[in-house]
């Protein structure tokens, strides 16, 4: 897919942040180990990632009713089984979370190999470690990963590095294991906290000690429940940065401030004095103290800091800032390909990249051009740059951005901005 963007228009209006992609797709997988009906409200039903996961779950027997208007899912998973499908082409990263429900129903699971963004080494060895630690046998087949185990048995899962996906997988599997499971070196993000809350509502017994130790007591029956997905902190930041770049006037609703304290503090340090109340942010050009973004230096890392998924938006701010800015990311040092594409939409050489580091020598001006997406957040950064440039731009492989932004075209339309998304 590609986006045809006629840029240079100034956005004005209100935009509502949707349920978080990085929570919603995990809750959907966890809902499938429930023994009753689960209802998820505030679910971003139009996300490409969510649609792929719903398609897979329906293909293996789940009953899922999607209501786009109310953004609600109803899930019944009692008929899930480990059937072998004709194809396993599902371009989503978190396929490993789909194993637990199949194992619960039939003692076997067949899941697609993880897809998603190519931003460096993101192997699935830690997920194999989770399944094996809980008593399963794992075989890598040509088209899918085969996991066998009549019942998970509690044990210790000790991650060599902190991992969000591994922590999520361990939580879901441990919730239905026999006995107690200890998760050591867990990575507890706001989205993981949302998953823990959901599992507890279903009856799981989960104890969190400090910021990296979790103990789960498995239970035989997980009841149906109702839950609203947390709001998306990355989307909220996206709209605020777009307002800054475009000199627009934007009112952003459903801002999850409790999970964004450090990222927003960095914006304040750049001279961006946005207005906020308990759940929304208002930005207009008057919010720039000196009429410009000030240069900065920051490092991406673990929550509560600036996570790697936010990196590209600070790169955009560095491009328009006065002076040199530096952004470090040693967790995903190869996450720099989008920045080289971004340079194609700038009037002068501004962006310098090396593994683990992006330097911007601003200010630069966005200009129209043709670019190709490299990852989800990088794709959205390209879209934002093109929106700010005068003239027509093309963003190829824009489906990467659609994986993370619910109803993107509709929300831009509410701000008076039109883009055209076409199948290639």
């Amino acid at each position: 897919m590609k986006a045809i963007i006629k840029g240079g228009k100034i956005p004005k209006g209100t935009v509502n942040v949707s349920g978080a992609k990085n929570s919603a797709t995990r809750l959907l997988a966890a809902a499938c180990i429930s023994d009753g009906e689960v209802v998820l409200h505030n679910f971003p039903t139009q996300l490409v990632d969510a649609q792929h996961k719903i398609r897979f779950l329906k293909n293996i027997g789940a009953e899922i009713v999607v209501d786009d208007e109310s953004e609600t899912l109803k899930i019944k998973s009692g008929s899930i089984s480990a059937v072998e499908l004709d194809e396993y082409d599902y371009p989503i990263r978190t396929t490993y979370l789909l194993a637990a429900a199949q194992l619960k129903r039939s003692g076997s699971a067949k899941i697609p190999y993880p897809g998603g963004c190519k931003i460096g080494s993101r192997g699935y060895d830690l997920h194999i470690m989770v399944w094996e630690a809980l008593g399963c046998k794992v075989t890598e087949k040509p088209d899918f990963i085969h996991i066998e185990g009549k019942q998970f048995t509690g044990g210790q899962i000790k991650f060599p590095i902190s991992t969000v996906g591994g922590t999520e997988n361990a939580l879901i599997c441990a919730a239905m294991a026999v006995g107690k499971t200890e998760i050591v070196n867990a990575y507890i993000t706001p989205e993981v906290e949302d998953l823990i809350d959901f599992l507890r509502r279903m009856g799981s017994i989960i104890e969190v000690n400090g910021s990296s130790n979790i103990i789960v007591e498995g239970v035989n029956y997980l009841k149906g429940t109702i839950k609203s997905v947390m709001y998306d902190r990355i989307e909220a930041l996206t709209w605020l940065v777009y307002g800054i770049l475009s000199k627009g006037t934007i009112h952003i609703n459903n801002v999850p401030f409790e999970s964004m304290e450090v990222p927003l503090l960095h914006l304040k340090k750049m001279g961006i004095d946005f207005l906020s109340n308990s759940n929304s942010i208002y930005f207009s050009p008057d919010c720039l103290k000196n009429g410009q973004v000030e240069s900065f230096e920051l490092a991406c890392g673990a929550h509560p800091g600036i996570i790697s998924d936010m990196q590209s938006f600070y790169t955009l701010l560095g491009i328009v800032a006065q002076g040199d800015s530096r952004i470090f990311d040693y967790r995903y040092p190869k996450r720099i390909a989008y920045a080289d594409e971004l340079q194609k939409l700038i009037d002068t050489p501004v962006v310098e990249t090396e593994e683990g580091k992006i330097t911007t020598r601003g200010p630069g001006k966005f200009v129209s051009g043709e670019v190709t997406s490299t990852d989800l957040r990088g794709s959205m950064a390209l879209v934002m740059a093109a929106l700010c440039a005068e003239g027509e731009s093309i963003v190829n492989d824009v489906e990467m951005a659609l994986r993370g932004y619910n109803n993107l075209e509709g929300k831009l339309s509410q701000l008076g901005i039109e883009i055209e998304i076409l199948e290639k």
Side-chain angles (χ1 to χ4, degrees):
M1 300 173 71
K2 65 180 178 181
I4 310 296
I5 298 172
K6 295 180 180 179
K9 295 182 180 178
I10 298 176
K12 183 176 182 180
T14 298
V15 64
N16 296 317
V17 174
S18 294
K21 164 192 174 285
N22 288 342
S23 177
T25 53
R26 281 64 166 174
L27 297 185
L28 173 58
C32 291
I33 67 169
S34 172
D35 293 292
E37 182 180 78
V38 171
V39 179
L40 295 175
H41 294 297
N42 195 39
F43 194 96
T45 58
Q46 297 182 50
L47 285 185
V48 172
D49 268 19
Q51 291 172 347
H52 282 307
K53 190 166 284 187
I54 289 169
R55 176 167 62 94
F56 177 83
L57 289 169
K58 284 183 174 181
N59 284 340
I60 61 171
E63 298 175 43
I64 303 177
V65 178
V66 181
D67 188 330
D68 289 323
E69 186 174 347
S70 65
E71 297 192 330
T72 298
L73 291 191
K74 292 183 179 179
I75 305 117
K76 292 181 180 178
S77 55
S79 299
I80 283 178
S81 64
V83 295
E84 186 166 335
L85 304 178
D86 292 334
E87 58 89 17
Y88 283 86
D89 183 18
Y90 292 85
I92 48 178
R93 175 64 193 169
T94 57
T95 58
Y96 43 78
L97 298 181
L98 303 171
Q102 295 178 63
L103 286 161
K104 177 169 182 172
R105 311 300 176 194
S106 57
S108 175
K110 299 178 179 71
I111 62 167
Y113 282 92
C117 299
K118 302 298 186 286
I119 57 173
S121 177
R122 298 179 75 186
Y124 47 87
D125 57 312
L126 295 181
H127 302 289
I128 293 176
M129 184 189 81
V130 168
W131 295 318
E132 291 180 340
L134 298 180
C136 291
K137 177 185 176 182
V138 181
T139 307
E140 297 181 57
K141 301 284 189 177
D143 297 324
F144 56 84
I145 302 173
H146 188 203
I147 307 106
E148 297 173 278
K150 290 186 177 180
Q151 197 167 37
F152 285 127
T153 303
Q156 186 184 70
I157 300 169
K158 189 173 183 179
F159 291 117
I161 59 170
S162 59
T163 162
V164 174
T167 300
E168 293 164 340
N169 193 18
L171 278 165
I172 294 171
C173 294
M176 50 184 255
V178 175
K180 184 179 293 185
T181 301
E182 181 184 19
I183 307 170
V184 180
N185 202 20
Y187 189 178
I188 304 174
T189 65
E191 292 81 11
V192 169
E193 290 174 339
D194 213 31
L195 175 59
I196 289 172
D197 173 69
F198 180 53
L199 291 170
R200 283 171 171 165
R201 288 173 187 234
M202 290 198 294
S204 296
I205 303 169
I206 303 174
E207 177 186 340
V208 179
N209 302 301
S211 60
S212 62
N213 181 273
I214 304 173
I215 296 174
V216 183
E217 186 75 43
V219 295
N220 292 326
Y221 182 83
L222 292 164
K223 63 184 178 181
T225 191
I226 300 172
K227 179 171 170 59
S228 289
V229 180
M230 67 175 285
Y231 292 112
D232 197 319
R233 54 184 171 146
I234 303 170
E235 184 190 351
L237 178 67
T238 302
W239 293 118
L240 178 53
V241 170
Y242 176 46
I244 297 164
L245 299 172
S246 63
K247 296 183 170 57
T249 301
I250 301 180
H251 180 213
I252 308 164
N253 282 327
N254 306 330
V255 178
F257 288 101
E258 66 279 1
S259 64
M260 297 179 64
E261 184 177 352
V262 174
L264 293 178
L265 178 62
H266 276 277
L267 296 188
K268 293 282 189 180
K269 296 291 185 181
M270 297 175 200
I272 303 164
D273 193 20
F274 55 85
L275 305 176
S276 61
N277 60 18
S278 60
N279 69 345
S280 67
I281 285 176
Y282 174 83
F283 177 85
S284 75
D286 293 335
C287 294
L288 288 175
K289 286 184 179 179
N290 297 323
Q292 63 190 33
V293 177
E294 303 298 339
S295 59
F296 58 90
E297 187 168 303
L298 58 84
C300 299
H303 176 78
I306 294 171
I307 60 173
S308 188
D309 276 350
M310 297 176 174
Q311 182 212 109
S312 62
F313 308 122
Y314 289 93
T315 299
L316 287 169
L317 292 172
I319 289 167
V320 301
Q322 296 286 333
D324 294 355
S325 297
R326 295 173 184 83
I327 300 146
F328 301 89
D329 190 342
Y330 296 121
R331 184 172 179 83
Y332 294 111
K334 296 184 184 295
R335 195 173 199 161
I336 56 176
Y338 78 89
D340 294 328
E341 287 296 302
L342 198 53
Q343 177 60 66
K344 298 175 183 179
L345 299 178
I346 308 169
D347 61 342
T348 56
V350 170
V351 181
E352 300 173 5
T353 61
E354 57 186 278
E355 285 197 10
K357 179 183 176 183
I358 295 174
T359 302
T360 58
R361 304 193 186 279
K365 180 182 178 182
F366 295 114
V367 294
S368 58
E370 181 171 354
V371 289
T372 300
S373 303
T374 60
D375 67 276
L376 191 165
R377 305 302 171 182
S379 179
M380 189 60 194
L382 296 176
V383 169
M384 293 161 68
L387 288 170
C388 294
E390 294 285 347
E392 184 174 286
S393 296
I394 297 174
V395 179
N396 294 308
D397 298 336
V398 75
E399 66 272 14
M400 291 191 181
L402 301 182
R403 287 180 47 223
Y405 291 89
N406 192 52
N407 190 25
L408 179 59
E409 291 175 89
K411 290 181 180 180
L412 285 169
S413 180
Q414 290 173 355
L415 298 174
I417 305 298
E418 301 295 334
I419 67 172
E420 185 180 6
I421 296 178
L422 303 173
E423 297 286 344
K424 285 188 177 179

